[in-house]
Structure formats: structure tokens, C-alpha cells
């Protein structure tokens, strides 16, 4: 269908191109003349459209596409998930894959892993690569990236987001957006806003004060829009202030389109639109995925029953809805079309290229986090190691299938075991250790893996221990997976603990062999009751196609780890603010964000709680020494920048990368503020013995808090402290400055 419509569009376009050749260019329709400014083209196209055509372009025509205007040669818009790779083609009206044989992709690391690189260049590389894949597959809108803040470790969808800190997420989302869009493919930043859990995601109302909203939950969306220039944004499922986020006056009209000046398209999450009047007036532009009355599987006219289809048309015809509001929506959709589907200058894109596989491996290599490494258990030295025992289901389980809408049909997926064998050959010996989730299909895509296992739990542990005792080194690969109530859309986790019998297996392995490295594959923090008995722990994330290779790179020392946690690992659930205050209950329909701005490390530091692993933590195979932080001027006038510099030296024996982190604390605030907040970071590469000077510029805006009563950002004079270090709980040097 898509190709037919594209063909019509092309024929129609070439007809006008032909007439353009015979007559001066300016005499052709302005909207087809790409030498004209986009706004002029938008107005011209709009003026030629009938009321019916206008309504046609603001709702879906299939599961993932919306109509164009064939009469005018305006093509359809095609969307795709996102955010970790390009989703396989689906049937016209259904979620199920269509069964094409040319729609497999490179699965890139999950966004938690990207955030853990703390490297904006990696985000740019990610955006460029996935943008090229989207473009090659002729998609106009990529449904991602996601920047909902990590409020609770139980949120099943945290793996699709960029962590707990608004500054980190803001910095990391911008290059992704810019690079995707260079391909003539729009991003659709999701899920705006306050979709911080999956339980009751269509029903709960997020009760959040304005200061918390502005300081914690909105900045990454704002950065994506204002700095990244995002061309579309996806409304969330949940309610806020009693209205669904997809048609929410405050979030969409007042903040997004009003305060931020967003000129793009608000797209509903699939099934997130619930009534016509609000959909008309409260900021929604393009309706997708509604399961309205009368729409049954395959009913081709079902889309006419959408809230922004016939019901809207009727109101427009009988005068109860104004065409001005409709025109605003249509202008936005047309603008998006000229930026994407009707952009004649866009590159051709590419799919499954060697460059994309390399990018995935490189990003993963910078995102994997070395959490603990006592006795230098890692890296395992392949020049001397004999037998290496690999244990755990996640070593053999494909993870690109499952988890909800981010599920993929990867062209290749190298599992951890395959990657380790590729690097270490037949020194690797495998044992299962535990049985978790043996399923392997999603919407018709199957892994084809047979993970059935008949041994009892006791036997599996005994067999794993027997192997571990005979090995020089042991690598346990476990964690969560993409099944319901693990890291998966539409449900939250039940608890912080590792599922299945993994804690038992790890305890037993630790007793059997001290050279044990535990690798957690997850997009979420997990409890580690065995931490004192295990020497090395690695957070391996979901890495996609290059999972095994990237993991082997780090475990065997080809890559020196440089990832840092983008969220706190609490020792227990109650150490997280939302849980300490009983402000998360999967059954609640009203979720009060009682912890306010104290999310993640902000809560831990306020309460003086020692996390299992802190925000920003991540070790290296080398050591970094910090000099004293210095402020160019110890006292500046309000409105001036402050400059903080620090020397960092690689004092170890191998080359490595360090993420130098800058946090700021307001020492004399008149309001309650966090002990400190991330306001800068820089990833630097250092050879052994090398020193580099890192200089941060602190802009006045970075020192402000949001005053809800005045509805403005406020900078107070007084003393501030700049904390510079290797993690939020590993501050190496501080310097105070004053704002006059
Ligand atoms: C998800 C979105 C996704 C959409 C289309 C929804 O269920 O929440 O993130 O983009 O489906 O697959």
C-alpha cells in the first residue's frame, strides 16, 4: 500500500516537475517547490486542501501510517518503533509482523546503555546509525528516543530511557535527535510526560508539584525540543491533572507549544486518545492506535471512527468546532511532511552496514559499567587463562525479541556465550545454572531458540558449582530479561531482587571459586545480597546485536570499561524515595510523587543513605588522580558564567577513559535544595601518565531552582560549591564560589 501511494506521489510529483521544466519554476505550485521556505509551502498546501482532506491527515490509516493527500501528490507518513532499532514491518491493521524477509535490522544497545556512556559523541553516533536504518526502510518518523525519568527501579520500561538525572538525559538526548533528523527522519520523543511506571499506565494520574515537574521530569523533553529541534513528540498514556497526557492542556498547549514554542507534531501514543473534544482543543495533532468502537481487526473503515476522524468532521461541518484549530494541526503535519517524506534532499540511508555493527559495539564498549573489581578479577588475561566457566541463562538467551514495542528482528544477535567463545575459543565451558524465561517470540518474530531444560534447580546449581571448581575463572551471566514483570513494557517488576534462583546460584559459585565475575544483563537496578562475597560485578545492559562481542571486549580487557551508572542502585527498595514514602503502588490510580525533586541520588544524599552503587559510579582497569578544582573567579556578578577547572591524570598502567563529573550545591539557598546536582560532565581519554585539564563553564541557568509560585526559574545570590569527581559518591575535589 505504502509503495502504491508513494508511486502515485512520485507520478504526481514528476508531472509537476515536467511542467516545471516547461514553465518558469515560480509558476508551479509553491508547495512542490523546494526552493521556497517551508512555511510558504505549508500555507500553499493548506490552502489547496478540502476539509475532508485536512481531517484525513490527522489520524492513522493503518497501525503505523497516516494518510497523505494523493490528489496533491502529498505522500503518507510512516512511523516505526524505536528506540533501539527499526521494528519489523507489521500487517496493515495489526501488531503482528508481516513476515517480510528484508526487514531485519541492527539492534543497537538499549538507551540505558547509551546513557551510561556519558558521552555525547556516542549519542550522535547512535542517532546517525539508527537514523540511517530508518531512512533506508523509508520511515518518516522514528518512535523514540525515550527520556522518562527513572523514578523507581520497578518500572518495567526503564531500559528504554536515559536514567534518573534530568541534566544527563538532556545532554544525551540532543545529539541523538539531531543526528536522526539529518536523515530526513523525524524523531518522536516519548512519552511526554510523567509515564514513570507501566502499572496502570492508561489509568493512573501522576500527581506532581510544578517545581518537581519543571526541575526533574521536563528538562530532557525541553532539551530535545529546543536544542535538538525534535520534529515530533509522543503524548504519554497516563493522566496528569485529570486529563490524559495525549490531550492535556497544561502539558501540550501551555508548556510544550506555549512556553517552549514547539512547532512540530504531537502524536498520541498508540491508544492514548480518549475523546474528541479534548483531542481537538488540548494539543493533540495526530492520532494513532486508537481502538475505537467499530474497529475490529482488519476493518478498513475503522480509522474513520477515530476521535480525530468522522466525529471531528461532523463537528467541523455543524460549526461546533473551528477550522482554525484544525488548520493548526494540519500545518504541523504538513511541516513534518516537508521535513521528512517530501524532503528531496535527504540521504538514501543504509541498513545492517558494517559501520552500524561497529557503532553498536563501540557504544556498548563505552556503556558497560564495571561496578566492582576487587583483587583485579577482571580483565581475564587470555594469555594465561585456562578453562573459563560461563554460567547462567542470560549467556545463551537472545534478548532482542520481547520487552514490548522495542522488540526487534535483528539480522544477527551475538549472545554473550557466542561472543566469549569467539574471543576465547574452546577454553569456554558452559553450564545453565538456572532456568528463567524459556519463551522467545514477540508479535510473530521468533528467536528459534530451544531453551527447554529438564534438570531440577538443585541439579542445575550442583552442575554449575562442579564446573566452577575446575575453572580458572568463572563468568556468571544473569540478571533480568524481556519477559513480563522483568524489563518489559506494560508491566512493572514485582521486586528489586533477581528473579529465579539466581541469588542461590551466585552464592554457590562465589564459594566454589573466588575468581568469579557476575554480569548483570538488565535495564534496571537489582539487589545484590551476595555482594560482599563476589569480587567482580559488571552491569552489561541489553546491548542488542553486538551483545556478546562487546561483553567479551570488556571482560578480556580489549576495551577498558568507562561506563558510569545513569541511575542509582539502591541496596534495598526502601532506599529509593518513591518507595520510602510509599508513593508507588502498582494498584494506585492516583500516584503522588511525594518524594518531589528527591529522585535517585538526590534522595540518597538528602537521607544520607549509602547506595549499593551510586549514580555516576563506574570503575576502570586503570586509576585516575584528580588535582584541585579551581575557579577562575571566586566571586562573580549574578548573570556571569563561572569557570571551574581540574587536572585529571591517568595514574595507572593502561590507557583509559574517565568521565569527569561536576555537581553543584547551593550552600545558602532560601529553599530546600538537593545536596548537589549534576551540571556538567566530560569524558576524556588518557594514556598512562597523561594529564588533561578539564574546564567546565557553569552558566547562570544551571544555578537556578524553579519557583512554582512565581512560575519562573530563580537564581539566588550567595555561596555555591562545585563538587568534581568520578561518581556522585566519589567526589575528589571541591571549590566554592560566590554569586553577588
Ligand atoms: C508504546 C509506544 C510505542 C507504540 C507503538 C505503545 O504501546 O507505548 O512507545 O511507540 O506502542 O508501538
Amino acid at each position: 500500500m505504502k509503495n502504491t501511494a508513494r508511486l502515485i506521489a512520485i507520478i504526481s510529483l514528476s508531472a509537476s516537475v515536467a511542467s516545471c521544466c516547461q514553465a518558469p519554476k515560480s509558476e508551479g505550485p509553491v508547495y512542490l517547490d523546494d526552493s521556497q521556505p517551508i512555511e510558504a509551502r505549508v500555507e500553499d498546501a493548506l490552502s489547496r486542501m478540502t476539509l475532508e482532506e485536512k481531517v484525513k491527515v490527522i489520524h492513522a490509516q493503518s497501525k503505523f501510517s497516516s494518510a497523505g493527500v494523493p490528489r496533491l501528490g502529498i505522500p503518507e507518513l510512516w512511523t516505526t518503533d524505536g528506540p533501539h532499532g527499526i521494528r519489523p514491518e507489521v500487517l496493515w491493521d495489526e501488531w503482528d509482523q508481516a513476515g517480510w524477509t528484508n526487514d531485519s535490522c541492527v539492534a543497537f544497545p538499549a538507551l540505558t546503555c547509551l546513557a551510561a556512556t556519558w558521552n555525547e559523541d556516542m549519542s550522535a553516533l547512535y542517532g546517525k546509525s539508527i537514523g540511517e536504518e530508518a531512512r533506508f526502510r523509508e520511515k518518516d518518523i522514528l518512535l523514540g528516543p525515550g527520556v522518562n525519568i527513572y523514578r523507581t527501579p520497578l518500572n518495567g520500561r526503564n531500559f528504554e530511557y536515559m536514567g534518573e538525572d534530568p541534566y544527563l538525559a538532556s545532554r544525551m538526548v540532543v545529539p541523538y535527535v539531531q543526528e536522526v533528523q539529518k536523515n530526513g527522519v523525524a524523531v518522536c520523543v516519548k512519552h511526554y510526560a510523567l509515564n514513570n511506571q507501566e502499572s496502570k499506565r492508561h489509568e493512573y494520574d501522576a500527581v506532581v508539584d510544578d517545581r518537581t515537574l519543571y526541575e526533574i521530569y521536563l528538562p530532557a523533553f525541553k532539551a530535545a525540543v529546543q536544542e535538538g529541534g525534535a520534529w515530533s513528540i509522543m503524548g504519554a498514556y497516563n493522566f496528569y491533572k485529570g486529563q490524559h497526557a495525549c490531550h492535556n492542556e497544561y502539558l501540550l498547549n501551555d508548556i510544550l507549544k506555549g512556553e517552549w514554542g514547539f512547532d512540530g507534531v504531537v502524536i498520541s501514543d498508540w491508544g492514548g486518545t480518549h475523546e474528541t473534544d479534548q483531542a481537538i482543543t488540548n494539543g493533540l495533532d495526530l492520532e494513532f492506535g486508537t481502538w475505537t468502537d467499530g474497529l475490529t481487526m482488519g476493518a478498513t473503515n475503522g480509522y474513520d471512527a477515530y476521535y480525530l476522524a468522522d466525529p471531528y468532521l461532523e463537528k467541523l461541518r455543524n460549526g461546533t468546532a473551528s477550522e482554525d484549530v484544525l488548520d493548526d494541526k494540519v500545518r504541523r503535519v504538513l511541516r513534518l511532511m516537508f521535513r521528512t517524506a517530501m524532503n528531496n534532499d535527504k540521504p538514501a540511508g543504509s541498513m545492517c552496514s558494517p559501520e552500524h555493527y561497529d557503532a553498536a559495539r563501540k557504544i556498548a564498549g563505552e556503556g558497560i559499567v564495571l561496578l566492582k573489581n576487587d583483587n583485579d578479577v577482571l580483565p581475564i588475561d587470555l594469555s594465561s587463562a585456562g578453562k573459563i566457566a560461563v554460567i547462567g541463562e542470560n549467556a545463551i538467551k537472545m534478548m532482542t525479541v520481547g520487552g514490548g514495542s522495542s522488540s526487534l528482528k535483528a539480522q544477527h544477535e551475538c549472545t554473550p556465550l557466542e561472543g566469549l567463545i569467539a574471543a576465547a575459543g574452546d577454553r569456554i565451558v558452559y553450564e545453565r545454572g538456572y532456568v528463567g524465561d524459556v519463551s522467545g517470540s514477540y508479535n510473530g518474530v521468533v528467536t528459534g531458540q530451544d531453551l527447554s531444560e529438564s534438570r531440577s534447580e538443585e541439579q542445575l546449581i550442583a552442575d554449575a558449582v562442579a564446573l566452577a571448581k575446575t575453572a580458572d575463572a568463572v563468568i556468571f551471566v544473569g540478571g533480568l530479561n524481556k519477559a513480563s514483570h522483568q524489563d518489559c513494557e506494560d508491566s512493572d517488576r514485582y521486586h528489586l531482587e533477581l528473579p529465579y534462583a539466581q541469588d542461590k546460584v551466585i552464592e554457590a559459585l562465589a564459594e566454589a571459586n573466588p575468581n568469579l565475575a557476575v554480569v548483570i544483563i538488565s535495564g534496571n537496578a537489582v539487589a545484590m545480597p551476595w555482594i560482599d562475597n563476589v569480587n567482580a560485578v559488571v552491569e552489561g545492559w541489553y546491548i542488542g546485536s553486538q551483545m556478546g562481542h562487546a561483553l567479551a571486549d570488556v571482560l578480556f580487557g580489549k576495551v577498558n570499561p568507562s561506563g558510569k551508572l545513569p541511575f542509582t542502585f539502591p541496596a534495598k527498595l526502601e532506599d529509593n524515595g518513591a518507595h520510602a514514602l510509599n508513593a508507588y503502588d502498582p494498584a494506585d490510580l492516583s500516584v503522588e510523587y511525594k518524594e518531589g525533586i528527591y529522585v535517585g541520588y538526590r534522595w540518597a544524599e538528602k537521607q544520607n543513605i549509602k547506595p549499593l552503587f551510586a549514580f555516576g559510579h563506574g570503575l576502570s582497569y586503570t586509576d585516575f588522580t584528580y588535582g584541585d578544582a579551581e575557579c577562575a573567579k571566586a566571586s562573580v556578578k549574578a548573570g556571569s558564567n563561572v569557570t571551574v577547572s581540574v587536572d585529571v591524570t591517568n595514574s595507572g598502567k593502561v590507557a583509559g577513559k574517565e568521565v569527569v563529573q561536576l555537581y553543584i550545591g547551593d550552600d545558602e539557598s532560601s529553599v530546600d535544595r538537593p545536596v548537589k546536582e549534576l551540571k556538567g560532565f566530560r569524558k576524556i581519554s588518557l594514556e598512562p601518565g597523561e594529564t588533561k585539564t578539564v574546564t567546565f563553564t557553569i552558566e547562570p541557568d544551571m544555578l537556578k531552582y524553579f519557583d512554582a509560585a512565581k512560575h519562573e526559574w530563580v537564581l539566588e545570590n550567595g555561596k555555591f560549591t562545585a563538587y568534581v569527581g568520578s561518581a556522585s559518591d566519589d567526589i575528589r575535589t571541591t571549590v566554592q564560589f560566590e554569586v553577588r
Side-chain angles (χ1 to χ4, degrees), residues 103-392:
D103 59 346
S104 53
C105 66
V106 172
F108 295 95
L111 293 192
T112 37
C113 178
L114 174 62
T117 67
W118 292 58
N119 185 346
E120 289 156 274
D121 293 343
M122 290 302 108
S123 178
L125 179 62
Y126 197 122
K128 177 180 186 295
S129 311
I130 196 171
E132 286 169 354
E133 299 237 335
R135 176 64 201 102
F136 190 80
R137 286 266 302 279
E138 290 200 48
K139 303 306 176 192
D140 306 305
I141 305 174
L142 176 68
L143 304 176
V147 287
N148 294 91
I149 290 292
Y150 189 110
R151 175 177 182 248
T152 157
L154 299 192
N155 179 11
R157 256 186 128 169
N158 280 334
F159 72 102
E160 288 187 65
Y161 304 139
M162 296 193 183
E164 74 185 25
D165 184 78
Y167 182 82
L168 177 65
S170 298
R171 300 285 41 90
M172 294 303 290
V173 73
V174 170
Y176 183 118
V177 170
Q178 291 170 334
E179 290 298 322
V180 166
Q181 294 192 162
K182 281 184 189 162
N183 290 283
V185 174
V187 296
C188 184
V189 188
K190 62 195 191 183
H191 306 88
Y192 183 74
L194 300 167
N195 184 176
N196 306 104
Q197 64 185 61
E198 290 298 286
S199 294
K200 304 271 180 221
R201 65 177 174 163
H202 293 275
E203 293 153 275
Y204 78 83
D205 196 329
V207 182
V208 184
D209 64 81
D210 261 13
R211 180 172 174 205
T212 303
L213 182 70
Y214 275 79
E215 289 191 16
I216 304 293
Y217 294 97
L218 294 186
F221 288 104
K222 184 180 180 188
V225 166
Q226 292 197 327
E227 295 175 59
W231 292 334
S232 77
I233 200 163
M234 185 187 290
Y237 281 140
N238 48 281
F239 286 85
Y240 171 62
K241 289 190 191 289
Q243 292 175 346
H244 276 100
C246 285
H247 30 71
N248 191 292
E249 171 137 44
Y250 192 54
L251 289 174
L252 300 175
N253 286 346
D254 295 350
I255 299 176
L256 177 68
K257 293 180 175 177
E259 293 176 16
W260 301 350
F262 176 64
D263 72 355
V265 177
V266 174
I267 298 178
S268 71
D269 197 348
W270 271 233
T273 313
H274 296 271
E275 59 152 295
T276 295
D277 286 340
Q278 285 193 11
I280 295 172
T281 57
N282 291 356
L284 179 64
D285 301 309
L286 187 47
E287 178 186 1
F288 265 99
T290 306
W291 210 245
T292 45
D293 287 345
L295 176 61
T296 50
M297 287 267 196
T300 48
N301 62 348
Y303 301 94
D304 295 339
Y306 269 37
Y307 296 107
L308 287 184
D310 284 352
Y312 191 10
L313 197 54
E314 198 180 317
K315 283 175 181 284
L316 287 157
R317 283 183 179 142
N318 69 24
T320 53
S322 106
E323 204 170 333
D324 287 351
V325 174
L326 172 67
D327 283 351
D328 179 64
K329 298 181 196 301
V330 177
R331 276 192 187 94
R332 289 169 183 275
V333 172
L334 287 170
R335 197 175 288 134
L336 184 83
M337 285 170 167
F338 288 121
R339 287 167 165 169
T340 59
M342 292 187 77
N343 170 354
N344 296 329
D345 280 339
K346 59 192 173 195
S350 53
M351 193 85 200
C352 296
S353 65
E355 290 79 12
H356 293 175
Y357 280 105
D358 287 350
R361 188 164 176 170
K362 193 169 172 194
I363 294 162
E366 289 213 12
I368 291 171
V369 184
L370 180 62
L371 293 172
K372 180 175 179 184
N373 195 22
D374 287 358
N375 300 339
D376 291 337
V377 164
L378 294 174
I380 297 167
D381 183 356
L382 284 185
S383 64
S384 57
K387 191 197 275 187
I388 302 169
V390 176
I391 290 155

Side-chain angles (χ1 to χ4, degrees), residues 62-64 87-98 291 296-299 303 443:
S62 77
K63 197 54 134 180
F64 281 99
R87 186 177 177 141
E89 300 298 328
V90 299
L91 296 170
W92 190 255
D93 291 316
E94 294 160 38
W95 293 110
D96 274 355
Q97 71 144 340
W291 210 245
T296 50
M297 287 267 196
Y303 301 94
N443 284 157

Side-chain angles (χ1 to χ4, degrees), residues 365-366 368 370 379 553-554 557-563 619-624 650 654-657 683 686:
E366 289 213 12
I368 291 171
L370 180 62
D553 289 345
V554 167
K558 190 170 165 191
V559 166
N560 189 351
S562 61
L619 305 173
S620 163
Y621 295 147
T622 189
D623 296 311
F624 300 102
N650 181 346
V654 289
K657 291 182 180 167
K683 194 165 209 173
L686 293 169

